[in-house]
Amino acid sequence: MQYRKGDKVVVIDGGTDNPGTEGRAGTVFYPGPDDDGLVCVKGIDGRFTEAVRGYRSYAPHQLRRA
């Protein structure tokens, strides 16, 4: 599935890299180079946490459009 910058998404599977984020909503910040690339999502964590740690990344199959 192809995502574009600004798409609203919901995490359906956080996997081992992002446990506990299932059901959280965010906005696609960087969609990745192709369908196999990681999708960078902002809005999953608070603004301060994202400023320190950065945005979380997910595989396209771990997300769905909101």
Side-chain angles (χ1 to χ4, degrees):
M1 177 174 276
Q2 193 72 16
Y3 293 102
R4 295 182 314 213
K5 185 173 182 172
D7 285 348
K8 302 289 184 186
V9 294
V10 175
V11 179
I12 57 173
D13 178 19
T16 57
D17 293 336
N18 298 305
T21 60
E22 293 84 7
R24 292 191 187 177
T27 305
V28 174
F29 181 72
Y30 182 74
D34 54 26
D35 286 341
D36 295 328
L38 294 178
V39 178
C40 186
V41 180
K42 69 178 182 176
I44 299 294
D45 296 312
R47 289 183 187 201
F48 179 76
T49 302
E50 288 182 342
V52 174
R53 293 186 184 171
Y55 301 132
R56 293 185 185 252
S57 295
Y58 298 89
H61 68 274
Q62 293 177 305
L63 303 169
R64 71 171 167 81
R65 283 197 168 88

